Amino acid sequence: MTDDDAHLQPAVAAEFSALADQLEALSDARWDTPSLCEGWRVREVIAHLTMAARYSGDEFMAKLQDCQFDFTRLSNQIAREDARLPVTELVDNLRSEVMQHWTPPGGGYHGALNHVVIHGLDATVPLGFTRRVPDETIRAVLNDLTHGGGHARFGIDIEGRRLVATDMDWAFGSGTELLGSGEDLALVMCGRTVPAGRVAGLPL
């Protein structure tokens, strides 16, 4: 946690709780829906999202060492193994006090908010759920991805582009326009492929 983003903690907690509320009534079969993360179902996404609820810092580092400090390999391993957990346990993990106050190493609550919002959308968009992320929350994520340069971590170039949200008062940049909901713009900046027709303009 950093002193300048502690105000985002309630938004992080609210996103974890809201996601749990959306997923708890799903049938087991719907947990097998392919997510926006290639190769992962909803199960794997939520297992990945809630790692910190099940592994202490020391346990996590030990597993990372076993994977030769390859975080992608570890993420895939834990997602694959923990996706077998009962869905009730995964939902409980979303609601855990640990996740409500979790921050990624060096990422603060900005990183935690991006993590839960984007992975939450990875799971809920393919399920056909309607918009749920509050304007002020998605705005914080969009600003981090643009002004904060977060898009670059996903290999996305927004130079010479104007991004315009169609469902809220938010825009960024100048140049060739890409229009879509705030949620969908956040997803494409994170390298996700959104369902056809949800964004308009030249792809990033």
Side-chain angles (χ1 to χ4, degrees):
M1 182 181 70
T2 59
D3 291 339
D4 62 349
D5 70 358
H7 65 283
L8 293 175
Q9 186 276 327
V12 172
E15 284 302 301
F16 275 109
S17 295
L19 186 56
D21 290 344
Q22 282 194 299
L23 298 181
E24 67 178 344
L26 286 184
S27 66
D28 278 3
R30 295 201 74 197
W31 279 80
D32 291 330
T33 301
S35 75
L36 297 184
C37 294
E38 187 176 354
W40 284 5
R41 301 165 297 172
V42 171
R43 292 177 188 272
E44 280 82 14
V45 171
I46 303 306
H48 166 75
L49 179 60
T50 57
M51 283 192 293
R54 297 183 301 278
Y55 302 99
S56 68
D58 288 344
E59 289 171 331
F60 176 83
M61 289 307 298
K63 285 182 172 292
L64 188 59
Q65 184 173 8
D66 289 343
C67 291
Q68 287 74 54
F69 296 97
D70 184 334
F71 180 73
T72 299
R73 177 182 166 190
L74 176 61
S75 292
N76 284 318
Q77 177 181 305
I78 289 179
R80 182 177 61 252
E81 293 174 353
D82 290 3
R84 302 169 187 155
L85 293 169
V87 295
T88 52
E89 183 173 343
L90 293 175
V91 170
D92 286 345
N93 288 164
L94 287 169
R95 290 199 173 104
S96 72
E97 190 72 15
V98 171
M99 297 313 308
Q100 309 256 319
H101 293 87
W102 170 83
T103 59
Y109 281 118
H110 275 286
L113 192 62
N114 293 346
H115 189 64
V116 66
V117 168
I118 297 302
H119 280 315
L121 293 172
D122 285 335
T124 58
V125 167
L127 289 168
F129 290 172
T130 55
R131 188 184 193 283
R132 65 169 183 82
V133 181
D135 284 0
E136 61 272 20
T137 297
I138 198 67
R139 189 187 311 280
V141 173
L142 289 167
N143 288 339
D144 193 61
L145 290 171
T146 52
H147 297 287
H151 64 282
R153 292 193 293 271
F154 300 93
I156 299 298
D157 183 10
I158 60 174
E159 185 70 25
R161 301 303 302 271
R162 178 166 174 78
L163 310 177
V164 181
T166 55
D167 61 343
M168 56 185 287
D169 182 19
W170 184 88
F172 173 84
S174 61
T176 306
E177 284 193 341
L178 183 67
L179 294 85
S181 71
E183 291 179 345
D184 288 337
L185 292 177
L187 284 169
V188 297
M189 280 191 280
C190 291
R192 272 50 168 191
T193 300
V194 299
R198 291 178 62 136
V199 294
L202 186 70
L204 297 180

